[in-house]
Amino acid sequence: MKKTTDITLVGGGIIGLLTAREFHNAGATVTLIEKNQIGQESSWAGGGILLPIYPWRQAEAITTLVLQSLRIYPDLAAALITDTGLDPEWTPCGMLITKNPDHQAANDWCATHHINSSSPDHSFFNFLNASTEHPLWLPDIAQVRNPRLLKSLQQDVLNKGITVYEHCELTAIDCRNRRIQAITTTRGEFSVNQLAITSGAWSGDLYQRLFSGIAGNPPNIAPVKGQMLLFDAKPDTLPFMVLDGDHYLIPRRDGKILAGSTVESDAFNKTTTATAKDDLSQFALNLLPDLQNYPLVKHWAGLRPGTAQGIPYIARHPDIDNLSINAGHFRNGLVMGPASAQLLVDLVLQRTPQVAPEPYQLAAAH
């Protein structure tokens, strides 16, 4: 049996890594297990925009975590660069929204939450082929290059001495007297003090398989596929992010441009499709004609942890004393991640929460 740490986390994506780091910084010893490789699922596959798409259309519980995370991100990125030498490319490049029919709601949301916004002038559209409706410019909105963020977080948890097991799948639990005593995995048995599920799109399935009949209120989390494209453009081809309808373009510092994304219910199937490739390519080439000069170099898919409203589950379990969950962030795992990790650690370690925990409990509407 492996050494027992204070907390064992099941799932090594962005949420698991941030939560592991937060527990360590609070003085806890941590084990992180991942059934495949660290940071290779939806955390890696997303675009990295640090704002929900049309946040004024989202539940207030999402806004709460987003705003707290936005306060954390600049210091987090700086600390990761200092501690690991790996730059997550936190970049406040701004975001242009071309069509905003609910512009009054957008203006009110920005004013209420102190998000800088303005009406863009014609220069923003000199290189874009976009029809506009009450366009909005958000100059301070940032992005991270999520594969690099994940690499820096993985290196950081290793530097901190957090125990990490990859290719380690949870297969069974030993639960007695309202406590999980031990877990069985494909790499052996672990005794546990506290167990937290941070398994993204697989969290709901994990609960159904292992906790059915032991505890009520299983999280309603299902996989939602998203497909993305990458163009090998030159730097400054696109200076800011663009949200146009349901799709977006994201420029990286080295010039590469992401085009995304789809929203598909397709179980746990990560297969890419020609239809999605054609639709996203047509969108990107039409919106930014200069992309016709650059090759399309990559097409991939990831599985988001979907909930009905996109509100994650961040809670201690009401029936099992040492079980908790941090999962179900849908499209906004990166932007809600730091605050979500902070909240779970607050709850488990019985610290005063930085945000009100009630909307994220298992029995709440998600």
Side-chain angles (χ1 to χ4, degrees):
M1 187 174 288
K2 312 295 190 299
K3 178 182 177 182
T4 306
T5 52
D6 296 324
I7 180 78
T8 301
L9 303 172
V10 181
I14 185 68
I15 300 300
L17 288 166
L18 287 169
T19 305
R21 184 179 186 274
E22 186 75 15
F23 270 114
H24 173 87
N25 289 347
T29 55
V30 185
T31 296
L32 178 64
I33 69 173
E34 162 58 43
K35 70 174 185 175
N36 294 315
Q37 288 181 286
I38 294 292
Q40 293 299 302
E41 294 296 343
S42 67
S43 305
W44 175 90
I49 302 174
L50 296 182
L51 191 75
I53 292 178
Y54 307 107
W56 42 91
R57 302 176 189 173
Q58 311 296 327
E60 186 64 24
I62 293 174
T63 291
T64 298
L65 292 174
V66 167
L67 296 177
Q68 178 67 3
S69 290
L70 294 183
R71 288 187 280 267
I72 295 171
Y73 253 114
D75 289 342
L76 171 63
L80 289 173
I81 294 171
T82 299
D83 294 345
T84 71
L86 300 172
D87 188 351
E89 295 193 12
W90 177 84
T91 307
C93 60
M95 185 165 69
L96 174 68
I97 301 176
T98 64
K99 301 178 183 68
N100 190 22
D102 47 351
H103 59 100
Q104 189 58 57
N107 292 334
D108 291 346
W109 187 90
C110 290
T112 298
H113 300 297
H114 309 291
I115 302 295
N116 289 335
S117 65
S118 63
S119 297
D121 62 36
H122 294 296
S123 65
F124 283 81
F125 300 95
N126 287 341
F127 47 86
L128 297 174
N129 177 33
S131 60
T132 64
E133 182 180 1
H134 302 291
L136 187 67
W137 168 237
L138 304 174
D140 299 332
I141 300 306
Q143 58 161 298
V144 289
R145 193 163 183 168
N146 35 317
R148 299 192 180 185
L149 173 63
L150 290 159
K151 286 181 181 179
S152 62
L153 283 169
Q154 182 177 11
Q155 187 61 54
D156 190 50
V157 301
L158 292 174
N159 290 351
K160 293 180 184 309
I162 293 170
T163 303
V164 176
Y165 293 95
E166 295 184 302
H167 306 290
C168 180
E169 184 173 2
L170 176 59
T171 58
I173 60 167
D174 176 9
C175 186
R176 289 171 281 154
N177 301 320
R178 292 177 57 97
R179 289 188 63 84
I180 298 170
Q181 307 295 326
I183 59 174
T184 302
T185 78
T186 51
R187 294 189 60 176
E189 186 171 303
F190 297 74
S191 60
V192 297
N193 284 317
Q194 292 283 339
L195 181 70
I197 304 301
T198 57
S199 302
W202 285 264
S203 300
D205 181 67
L206 199 63
Y207 262 77
Q208 293 289 349
R209 286 193 294 108
L210 299 181
F211 301 100
S212 178
I214 299 175
N217 295 323
N220 187 13
I221 300 171
V224 181
K225 183 162 72 175
Q227 299 187 51
M228 302 274 288
L229 304 180
L230 182 68
F231 291 86
D232 192 14
K234 293 181 178 178
D236 300 322
T237 300
L238 181 65
F240 45 75
M241 297 177 285
V242 183
L243 175 60
D244 184 79
D246 294 330
H247 296 327
Y248 49 77
L249 298 179
I250 305 171
R252 300 306 197 198
R253 289 183 188 174
D254 61 5
K256 291 181 172 61
I257 295 175
L258 281 76
S261 67
T262 64
V263 179
E264 308 168 54
S265 296
D266 197 13
F268 289 95
N269 177 18
K270 291 193 293 182
T271 304
T272 58
T273 65
T275 298
K277 181 179 180 181
D278 291 344
D279 289 347
L280 290 172
S281 179
Q282 183 177 359
F283 157 76
L285 296 175
N286 179 68
L287 180 61
L288 183 60
D290 283 353
L291 281 179
Q292 297 175 31
N293 300 317
Y294 303 108
L296 170 60
V297 293
K298 197 163 189 178
H299 174 205
W300 68 92
L303 299 176
R304 311 176 184 97
T307 61
Q309 299 181 68
I311 300 172
Y313 294 84
I314 310 167
R316 299 187 67 169
H317 201 283
D319 302 318
I320 302 176
D321 294 339
N322 62 337
L323 176 65
S324 57
I325 184 170
N326 187 4
H329 296 74
F330 193 30
R331 304 181 78 165
N332 298 304
L334 264 74
V335 67
M336 292 195 285
S340 298
Q342 188 180 69
L343 176 56
L344 187 71
V345 176
D346 288 344
L347 295 173
V348 172
L349 299 185
Q350 299 182 6
R351 307 186 305 196
T352 300
Q354 298 296 306
V355 301
E358 288 78 11
Y360 317 104
Q361 299 299 296
L362 279 161
H366 290 267

